[in-house]
Amino acid sequence: MDAHWETARTDPGKAALLARELGVSPLLARLLIQRGVEDPQAGHSFLNPSLQDLHPPRLMKGMDRTVRRILLARQRAEKILIYGDYDVDGITSTVILKRALEMLGAEVDYYLPRRLEEGYGLKTEVIRRAARQGFGVVITADSGIRAFEVCQAARELGIDLIVTDHHLPDRSLPEAYSILNPRQPGCDYPEKNLAAVGVVFKLIHALFLEAGRERTVHHFLKMVAIGTIADLVPLRGENRIIASFGLKGLAQPHNVGLRALLEGSGVGERVDNFDVGFKVAPRINAVTRMGGGREVVDLFSLHDNSRAERIVRQMNDQNQLRRDTESAILAEIEERIVQDPRAFRKKFVVVAGEGWHRGVIGIVASRLVERLHRPVLVVSLGKDICQGSGRSIPGFHLLEALDSCRDLFASYGGHTQAVGCTFQPSRCSPRLLSELAGRLETHADSELSDRDLVPTVRIDAFLDAEDLSLGLCREVERLAPFGMGNPVPRFASRRVEVVGGPWRLKEHHLKLQLRANGSRLDAIWWRQGERVEDWSAGDDLDVAYTLSRDSYQGLEKLLLTIRDLRSASNREDSTRAPREQASETAKTTQSEERPSGKMNAE
């Protein structure tokens, strides 16, 4: 599907003024403005994240009541159970809360639900078991904001259930002992986009303030950053501070399990959001996706290097199994697309399969959204449980779509862009799935236009290929950490000559060399290896890309990650930028000679 190139527009006068005030290049100032940072004070805070800018935790509704109850439990030697969740956000929340409560002297244990057997959400039976085992307090991590029946059961059993969550609440709130969720009605906490691990971090901060141990709180930021980046919350405001300081801390981990995980994931000395999102997080997730559980939490409590390394090797094996399983399901769906392409051109695609591994259907949904550019729900049909996982495109609220079909689910929940749901096996018939698909299609038709289903490549600025350099890349990196809400800047250059390739890289990817800055510049396009015959040496292309630095054997060079390619003769009028904006390179940097070396791409 050909993408539409959309060029961001910025007032050159505003960019020049901000550049002078901050002492940065016009290009960097323009990129800041495009991210909503327009005044010098906000620009300074953005470029220089500070722990002093974190909000006081007691601004969060329910915090004082929650802190008092936890400290009372410690005083009474009551047993506290952490009810975690099985994704990276829930696992990191469980890890840091368990460690914090242990440091405060509380008697604490945790329960991690099994993804495949239990599915998403709190279960009443777990609360009943906790009551039988003598737990007086249960604290959720990354779930509970819609657990009405479970909260009621906890009250009846005499358990004080504390909900820490960040998912969108329903029309009303469950009757929990207390709720920590910045999205709940009446909560004045300024940062609404915290991940669940961010909410738990605020609770830990409040507890340590009360205990006079605030100086140690920053040590938790490494794990908080992993959960925050993995959960794809906007990396703005507090999330940006958390990610920035957490990534710096990950460069020098002291925790035995964390160090083993980083080394086993192939992460180098410089840790960035790519390392977390595409190397560390998938390995944590793979454990629960493929049927594991407590070992991924226990890893971070180990002091034995050999045992930690053994668990990480198992995580790597599970991650490879996850990849193979995901590929098999995608191949089956690809056959369906070939046989019935019209079914996959609807505005909302629902696809179901017998025995599809429930641990990977969320990833399969993400891959299909990339392929089809429309919201997708993937359903695994099983004898004991039928489970679905959905992903969306920008501008379409997936949870609201499921709200319109709430009577068809046994349970469901999630975010704007990602949801999970379960069905009663006795009801999960072809007829029910057909009704679900029809109602979701009707909802999508009322919300989406045909234009919304065409992928858009947003271009921050057009640059002359001759101006590309390592110095320019380093200046752009001042905007890091990148992620949701602060995407990696995308640039484009016109009429760039192909001087090498294209070649297939590891079968799945496309590599080519472009002429830039008087020499050859390596470029890679992930998961586009099948397009190797589309271009050849000597072609002039318009290229959309992001900049990065690639290191091999101690040498560093510039690398382009391609976002889109098109023949220069087929250029869309919509890609044209005003003449004064066509090449805004960083005036404060000089062109640098790039060392040659083999590209080291995973």
Side-chain angles (χ1 to χ4, degrees), residues 152-438:
Q152 180 61 36
R155 289 172 63 90
E156 294 171 356
L157 292 166
I159 287 180
D160 288 336
L161 193 150
I162 296 169
V163 170
T164 74
D165 201 351
H166 72 130
H167 294 98
L168 292 170
D170 208 334
R171 300 186 184 102
S172 59
L173 296 175
E175 295 185 12
Y177 177 85
S178 62
I179 296 175
L180 297 181
N181 184 335
R183 296 173 182 244
Q184 67 176 304
C187 182
D188 296 327
Y189 194 77
E191 181 57 76
K192 302 297 184 183
N193 292 313
L194 290 172
V197 71
V199 176
V200 170
F201 174 71
K202 303 310 294 189
L203 171 57
I204 293 171
H205 192 182
L207 287 167
F208 277 44
L209 275 169
E210 188 70 21
R213 302 182 63 172
E214 184 184 11
R215 290 184 300 173
T216 61
V217 168
H218 70 278
H219 293 297
F220 292 96
L221 287 174
K222 295 184 283 292
M223 294 299 296
V224 182
I226 291 174
T228 295
I229 294 170
D231 214 55
L232 300 179
V233 294
L235 295 188
R236 302 290 298 272
E238 281 197 306
N239 288 333
R240 177 173 174 80
I241 298 170
I242 287 168
S244 179
F245 282 89
L247 289 172
K248 291 176 183 176
L250 287 171
Q252 294 181 319
H254 300 293
N255 181 279
V256 170
L258 181 57
R259 185 169 62 246
L261 177 58
L262 293 173
E263 292 174 355
S265 302
V267 175
E269 294 182 359
R270 287 193 313 125
V271 186
D272 60 21
N273 64 304
F274 179 88
D275 293 319
V276 171
F278 292 91
K279 296 180 180 180
V280 176
R283 285 166 169 82
I284 295 175
N285 257 331
V287 176
T288 59
R289 288 188 188 281
M290 306 315 294
R294 291 180 66 97
E295 63 270 29
V296 71
V297 175
D298 294 341
L299 171 67
F300 302 103
S301 298
L302 296 178
H303 299 286
D304 184 328
N305 286 314
S306 61
R307 187 180 173 195
E309 291 167 1
R310 184 167 61 253
I311 291 177
V312 171
R313 286 195 297 270
Q314 294 170 354
M315 294 171 72
N316 286 338
D317 292 342
Q318 290 168 320
N319 192 45
Q320 185 58 54
L321 177 60
R322 183 269 305 170
R323 289 177 177 176
D324 296 341
T325 305
E326 168 197 334
S327 296
I329 296 174
L330 285 168
E332 182 179 338
I333 295 174
E334 188 65 34
E335 290 182 6
R336 298 190 194 181
I337 293 175
V338 172
Q339 294 170 2
D340 186 11
R342 291 175 57 187
F344 293 87
R345 293 185 188 133
K346 295 180 178 179
K347 288 186 177 179
F348 198 118
V349 172
V350 177
V351 58
E354 293 281 353
W356 283 352
H357 199 294
R358 298 193 303 278
V360 303
I361 56 175
I363 307 175
V364 170
S366 295
R367 295 284 182 264
L368 288 177
V369 170
E370 292 176 10
R371 167 89 156 76
L372 305 171
H373 198 74
R374 57 204 66 219
V376 172
L377 181 69
V378 179
V379 180
S380 170
L381 306 176
K383 294 181 180 179
D384 299 322
I385 187 171
C386 295
Q387 188 169 318
S389 187
R391 299 294 184 269
S392 191
I393 58 176
F396 184 78
H397 199 302
L398 198 52
L399 186 59
E400 288 183 355
L402 265 60
D403 281 337
S404 70
C405 310
R406 63 172 60 213
D407 57 299
L408 301 181
F409 305 114
S411 64
Y412 73 99
H415 306 279
T416 302
Q417 297 290 296
V419 295
C421 59
T422 59
F423 308 84
Q424 295 294 344
S426 58
R427 294 192 62 206
C428 195
S429 62
R431 181 176 178 178
L432 180 141
L433 291 175
S434 178
E435 180 181 354
L436 174 65

Side-chain angles (χ1 to χ4, degrees), residues 76 132 190 197 278 336 428 459 519 549:
R76 293 175 173 175
R132 292 195 298 268
V197 71
F278 292 91
R336 298 190 194 181
C428 195
I459 308 298
S519 60
R549 291 181 283 152

Side-chain angles (χ1 to χ4, degrees), residues 53-68:
D53 291 332
L54 292 174
H55 304 300
R58 283 201 162 94
L59 292 179
M60 190 175 293
K61 182 180 179 181
M63 185 63 77
D64 286 339
R65 179 174 171 83
T66 301
V67 168
R68 286 195 302 268

Side-chain angles (χ1 to χ4, degrees), residues 431-474:
R431 181 176 178 178
L432 180 141
L433 291 175
S434 178
E435 180 181 354
L436 174 65
R439 287 165 64 174
L440 289 173
E441 177 71 8
T442 299
H443 182 85
D445 192 52
S446 69
E447 298 290 330
L448 295 171
S449 67
D450 291 339
R451 178 68 186 83
D452 293 325
L453 303 180
V454 178
T456 296
V457 178
R458 188 177 187 276
I459 308 298
D460 288 285
F462 276 79
L463 306 176
D464 289 334
E466 297 304 312
D467 292 328
L468 302 180
S469 68
L470 281 170
L472 174 62
C473 182
R474 291 191 184 99

